[in-house]
Amino acid sequence: MKKILSFLFAALLFVPAANAKREPKPQEVDSLGRKIKTGWNFGILPSIAYDADYGFQGGVLTNVYYYGDGSQYPEYIHSLYVETAYTTKHHGIFRFNYDSKYLIPGYRLTLDATYLPDAMCDFYGFNGYESRYHYSWHDWSKQPEKMSVQDYRTRVFYKYKRDLIRVAGDIEGTIYKDLKWNAGLGVLGYIIDDCDIDMLNGKNEYDPTLEHQKALNPDAPLLYDKYKTWGLIGDDEKNGGWHPYVRGGITYDTRDKRQGPNKGIYADAFFTYSAAFNAKYGNQADAGYNHLQFNFTFRHYVPCYIDKNGQNRITFAYRIGTQNNIAGKSPFYMNNYMNALFIQRVYYEGLGGGNSIRGMMANRILANGFAFANVEFRFRVVNFDIGRQHFYIGLNPFFDLGVITQPYDLNELVEINTGGKYRDLLESMTAAGDDYDTYFDTKDRNAFLPHMTAGLGLKIGMNENFVLSCDWAMPLNKQDNQKWANFYVKMGYLF
């Protein structure tokens, strides 16, 4: 509740800039009788959020909108977004984003430059349920009786260090009415390594004589280390790489507005070709990491109840989509990046976490191809004004699902990455002194089993474009998260 009150108070700091002199408009209110926003609307807000996977976030952001004379409200003419923040789980956000349909008349242009350093990026292995998850291996508590000290290995067992640099430019033009063409250029840069244990420990020093302590053991192997040893992650991908890309496709968009639409369809289909530069160890291009991916997404917004004032109060919204590799091979670290025609959010991680399958651990599903679905009812409970700003409060019960469509061939990976040194994964793990059944379950659980979650969201919107989102979600299988539920505080709707 304190976060909500803080948001409402901070929102009042949004002070519209003095509008340039303009001729009086005959229409000063919208169809709901609310004053139309005009000119520039901007301000600075604290970037305060919470994500079960990233921790508490603190920083500063600003979102500047220009509405012109208001004739297209709630559509904006220009949007500028700048954010800098850091989280308690050592994840940083440094981002600039620009979006407009009017800078180039007749075309929508989106520009994005983002740097996301992550000292503890989630890594739970390949092929979803085929990789066993052991909560006790990384669960640490100040009270030893609340954890399994004998099973505990290290708090960062399912982590590795990853810095992501993303620069993108996307443009959209009209083919006919609501049918659009899309094209984009960009580059994704990944810098990957083992977790920096000294930095994470800080002033805490590891004492090997103690059975239970907060300090991390610098000699404890991580799952990421084991995947390299077994041959599932090759030398030419283990430290990341740089990947310029080009993409193109089509979209069909009949939504009544972009943020929180009440009705309409949005569908896209596109291809992304990603090249590979030389990595720190080996030539990724020679290793075949130039690859082509195909994405398809369908979103549908169905109005269910319209009140006597003509306002939609209940919307049924759902999204289905898929991403698959159709040529070449993608390095493991790119397979949890969800391609998008327009960069509108900070994170495009999948599958798992607050940006794809809410309630499931981030990056729980890691494979060459996947499909997903998000289904929710959006109840608009109340509308109100504070000062000159328009607010609303909404509730969103939802259900999320994710499945693997292209699993890894684990034995083939071992054969390729070890140069045939080991015959298969079992033999490779045995040679390393690791038990196959402890880490993998390829008998009772196959990679194609669906991962499902459910939850409830609270939305607080301002001026139809600025939305604070609070989502509570729980997994329907303990292998997706041993915690009974996850909580997220973010900006905007998931879709």
Side-chain angles (χ1 to χ4, degrees):
M1 187 64 186
K2 290 182 179 179
K3 293 186 180 69
I4 296 173
L5 292 175
S6 299
F7 168 79
L8 295 176
F9 175 76
L12 294 177
L13 299 179
F14 269 64
V15 181
N19 296 331
K21 292 183 179 180
R22 60 184 178 91
E23 295 298 323
K25 289 175 70 271
Q27 180 186 358
E28 296 291 346
V29 296
D30 62 14
S31 59
L32 300 178
R34 296 174 303 182
K35 183 177 176 60
I36 287 175
K37 306 300 294 185
T38 60
W40 291 94
N41 285 252
F42 65 92
I44 297 178
L45 286 174
S47 178
I48 300 174
Y50 176 77
D51 188 298
D53 299 301
Y54 299 121
F56 287 97
Q57 173 183 312
V60 63
L61 66 85
T62 181
N63 204 165
V64 182
Y65 295 104
Y66 179 64
Y67 294 101
D69 62 5
S71 59
Q72 75 295 315
Y73 181 81
E75 188 73 52
Y76 50 77
I77 295 178
H78 302 289
S79 170
L80 292 169
Y81 183 92
V82 179
E83 181 177 12
T84 177
Y86 207 73
T87 77
T88 54
K89 293 187 178 181
H90 304 284
H91 182 89
I93 300 172
F94 304 93
R95 183 184 182 221
F96 167 83
N97 183 270
Y98 170 78
D99 183 48
S100 175
K101 289 175 62 178
Y102 300 92
L103 182 68
I104 306 176
Y107 299 90
R108 179 183 177 189
L109 176 67
T110 300
L111 303 174
D112 185 89
T114 300
Y115 173 51
L116 302 173
D118 192 349
M120 297 189 296
C121 183
D122 295 284
F123 179 73
Y124 297 100
F126 295 164
N127 291 351
Y129 285 138
E130 285 192 348
S131 291
R132 294 182 185 271
Y133 167 63
H134 301 271
Y135 180 70
S136 60
W137 288 4
H138 71 114
D139 176 41
W140 183 86
S141 173
K142 293 181 179 180
Q143 299 174 312
E145 65 274 10
K146 291 187 177 181
M147 62 177 284
S148 177
V149 178
Q150 299 302 320
D151 291 340
Y152 177 74
R153 300 188 177 191
T154 173
R155 286 185 291 116
V156 294
F157 181 80
Y158 293 108
K159 309 287 185 181
Y160 65 92
K161 184 177 182 293
R162 186 200 71 182
D163 291 354
L164 172 58
I165 299 170
R166 179 183 69 205
V167 179
D170 302 290
I171 191 168
E172 178 183 80
T174 301
I175 299 175
Y176 179 73
K177 292 185 178 180
D178 298 318
L179 185 63
K180 315 287 185 179
W181 62 263
N182 306 84
L185 293 171
V187 62
L188 296 175
Y190 289 84
I191 303 170
I192 293 174
D193 208 339
D194 293 316
C195 291
D196 187 342
I197 302 301
D198 290 337
M199 185 277 290
L200 295 175
N201 277 340
K203 297 181 180 180
N204 299 311
E205 294 186 6
Y206 178 73
D207 185 349
T209 64
L210 298 178
E211 183 180 36
H212 177 265
Q213 59 180 312
K214 184 177 183 179
L216 299 168
N217 181 359
D219 298 321
L222 314 182
L223 184 63
Y224 169 66
D225 297 320
K226 292 183 176 294
Y227 266 56
K228 292 184 290 184
T229 301
W230 299 336
L232 293 176
I233 293 177
D235 287 344
D236 48 19
E237 60 179 333
K238 67 181 182 181
N239 289 103
W242 290 85
H243 302 273
Y245 67 81
V246 57
R247 70 171 45 116
I250 58 174
T251 59
Y252 177 73
D253 190 356
T254 63
R255 297 172 297 175
D256 58 342
K257 54 183 178 177
R258 294 182 200 169
Q259 186 64 257
N262 294 314
K263 61 181 180 179
I265 292 174
Y266 176 90
D268 62 37
F270 61 93
F271 293 91
T272 302
Y273 177 78
S274 299
F277 288 165
N278 289 347
K280 185 177 181 180
Y281 299 98
N283 190 315
Q284 289 193 332
D286 291 345
Y289 285 110
N290 296 333
H291 61 280
L292 180 67
Q293 292 177 312
F294 173 73
N295 285 75
F296 171 77
T297 307
F298 182 85
R299 309 178 196 173
H300 193 192
Y301 307 90
V302 183
C304 298
Y305 172 69
I306 299 176
D307 65 17
K308 61 183 180 180
N309 295 320
Q311 181 178 3
N312 185 66
R313 289 287 187 170
I314 303 176
T315 300
F316 174 64
Y318 65 91
R319 176 182 71 163
I320 57 175
T322 186
Q323 175 173 302
N324 293 276
N325 201 57
I326 60 177
K329 63 179 181 180
S330 176
F332 84 94
Y333 51 82
M334 291 189 72
N335 281 338
N336 57 20
Y337 184 86
M338 296 179 66
N339 295 322
L341 279 176
F342 291 98
I343 305 299
Q344 296 177 298
R345 305 196 309 266
V346 176
Y347 302 110
Y348 284 89
E349 303 281 354
L351 289 176
N355 299 289
S356 56
I357 309 296
R358 294 159 288 189
M360 186 165 68
M361 299 177 299
N363 303 336
R364 177 64 177 105
I365 299 178
L366 181 56
N368 289 306
F370 54 79
F372 59 92
N374 310 104
V375 181
E376 59 186 45
F377 280 94
R378 299 177 176 178
F379 296 89
R380 191 153 177 156
V381 180
V382 63
N383 298 302
F384 59 95
D385 289 349
I386 298 181
R388 300 168 63 185
Q389 313 302 329
H390 311 312
F391 291 87
Y392 70 85
I393 295 178
L395 291 176
N396 296 40
F398 58 82
F399 171 81
D400 296 341
L401 177 146
V403 296
I404 291 174
T405 57
Q406 289 181 311
Y408 285 101
D409 185 329
L410 302 181
N411 290 325
E412 181 183 23
L413 284 179
V414 172
E415 183 177 356
I416 292 173
N417 291 328
T418 63
K421 182 178 179 180
Y422 300 108
R423 186 184 64 199
D424 56 25
L425 179 59
L426 175 60
E427 189 173 346
S428 177
M429 294 181 66
T430 301
D434 294 308
D435 178 61
Y436 181 91
D437 291 331
T438 301
Y439 292 89
F440 295 98
D441 185 358
T442 55
K443 297 178 182 179
D444 298 328
R445 287 193 173 275
N446 64 63
F448 299 102
L449 288 174
H451 300 247
M452 297 178 287
T453 66
L456 179 66
L458 170 69
K459 311 297 178 185
I460 303 176
M462 184 181 73
N463 297 331
E464 301 299 322
N465 287 313
F466 197 90
V467 179
L468 176 69
S469 175
C470 305
D471 289 332
W472 170 91
M474 61 180 293
L476 302 187
N477 188 304
K478 289 295 184 181
Q479 275 292 301
D480 286 329
N481 198 339
Q482 289 286 337
K483 297 179 181 178
W484 71 281
N486 275 358
F487 187 66
Y488 313 93
V489 179
K490 296 178 177 294
M491 301 306 301
Y493 287 87
L494 178 61
F495 63 97

